[in-house]
Amino acid sequence: MTVSDNAAGRARIDARTLRTDRWWLSPLLTFAGLATFIVYGLVRTFMNSAYWVPQYQYLAPFYSPCLSEACVEGSAHFGRWFPDLGFLITPPLFVLPFVLGFRLTCYYYRKAYYRAFWFSPPACAVAEPHAKYTGETRFPLIVQNIHRYFFYAAIPIAGILTWDALIAFTGKDGGFGIGLGSLILLTNVVLIWCYTISCHSCRHIIGGRLTHFSKHPVRYWLWGKVSKLNGRHMQLAWASLASVGLADLYVSLVASGVLTDLRLFN
Ligand code: FES
């Protein structure tokens, strides 16, 4: 076989796939997981209530940072930058483009939703239904390349969630206290940080474009640590997605009076 034979294309196989395993299970679960999160996120974004528990200083992650005149008393920790634009432009919408942009352009999520939502392709060695494949070489998917800039935006947002988790250790008398909500918000922010710094862009920013690691021992050390986390990026993507949804749900249930926060101390 010559090189030109190879270049002529793939073998002609009429079956869509020769795989006999349950290759459809992974895209199906991905679809179910992401669709659930999208529906929950839409409901919460436009609910515009039940996001702040003043007694314990719990702020729901979907409403953090709360930067609008519409934010309820005590919840705007970083100022009110935007006017109250009514029920259609709720406070989360000012931050959502950055949070969503980071997840949507993430290397892992791209693979996940290309497979689960667009079948492009649905799995390895399973033909996609589309006639043409242009990849990420032209608009709109070429925009995926700005992921690194969303990573830069994700750092201050993770910092703000860290602040939210710290002030959630407030007790009934205004001093130190621990409730189930404090621990949930803390767990969430740890997972958010792990997901953020396990980002492929972060790994490249730390260890990329170096000719000699030996001349940059600190960056090499950091690169080694980030690379370990990077190997778990998919798991961290799912764990942090679940934790942010569950933390938001817990705070909303406490804020709306459906649940009473379980207090462990004060
Ligand atoms: Fe997933 Fe950057 S690659 S967050």
Side-chain angles (χ1 to χ4, degrees):
M1 183 180 281
T2 65
V3 172
S4 60
D5 287 335
N6 273 328
R10 298 172 180 167
R12 285 197 57 83
I13 299 171
D14 289 331
R16 189 154 164 234
T17 183
L18 299 179
R19 285 180 67 168
T20 52
D21 62 336
R22 289 189 296 170
W23 57 265
W24 43 267
L25 188 58
S26 173
L28 184 67
L29 291 176
T30 303
F31 178 84
L34 292 180
T36 305
F37 188 82
I38 291 167
V39 171
Y40 176 79
L42 280 172
V43 170
R44 279 295 282 155
T45 298
F46 293 101
M47 195 170 154
N48 203 10
S49 63
Y51 56 86
W52 174 238
V53 182
Q55 191 178 16
Y56 306 128
Q57 308 268 301
Y58 294 164
L59 181 60
F62 277 43
Y63 283 77
S64 181
C66 208
L67 298 173
S68 150
E69 291 290 351
C71 301
V72 296
E73 184 70 30
S75 65
H77 302 136
F78 298 91
R80 297 172 186 271
W81 302 10
F82 303 101
D84 180 351
L85 294 176
F87 70 97
L88 277 181
I89 313 288
T90 56
L93 290 175
F94 297 110
V95 182
L96 200 63
F98 303 101
V99 179
L100 209 58
F102 185 48
R103 296 258 171 184
L104 277 179
T105 59
C106 163
Y107 292 24
Y108 165 68
Y109 281 114
R110 271 144 75 176
K111 171 192 154 191
Y113 67 80
Y114 286 169
R115 288 186 174 197
F117 286 78
W118 292 347
F119 309 127
S120 181
C124 289
V126 180
E128 59 182 297
H130 313 288
K132 251 184 16 183
Y133 175 77
T134 55
E136 296 174 335
T137 56
R138 54 177 85 157
F139 189 79
L141 292 184
I142 198 165
V143 176
Q144 303 278 31
N145 286 310
I146 63 172
H147 180 64
R148 162 183 293 238
Y149 300 100
F150 281 119
F151 167 73
Y152 293 141
I155 299 286
I157 291 173
I160 287 166
L161 291 177
T162 308
W163 172 255
D164 292 343
L166 290 177
I167 62 168
F169 285 86
T170 300
K172 289 180 184 129
D173 59 6
F176 180 74
I178 305 176
L180 181 56
S182 332
L183 299 180
I184 288 175
L185 289 171
L186 181 65
T187 306
N188 176 50
V189 83
V190 168
L191 287 170
I192 294 279
W193 271 116
C194 289
Y195 168 66
T196 305
I197 59 178
S198 70
C199 168
H200 292 68
S201 291
C202 174
R203 184 169 176 260
H204 183 258
I205 289 163
I206 289 177
R209 292 178 168 271
L210 294 180
T211 311
H212 304 289
F213 270 137
S214 58
K215 292 194 177 143
H216 303 273
V218 176
R219 285 181 69 179
Y220 178 58
W221 184 84
L222 287 171
W223 178 81
K225 303 291 172 218
V226 166
S227 295
K228 278 208 178 104
L229 277 179
N230 180 258
R232 302 252 168 239
H233 193 57
M234 178 184 82
Q235 291 85 343
L236 290 167
W238 281 108
S240 60
L241 195 75
S243 77
V244 81
L246 290 174
D248 189 88
L249 179 65
Y250 183 80
V251 174
S252 75
L253 291 174
V254 174
S256 56
V258 174
L259 278 186
T260 305
D261 186 40
L262 178 67
R263 300 307 294 173
L264 306 171
F265 177 76
N266 191 11

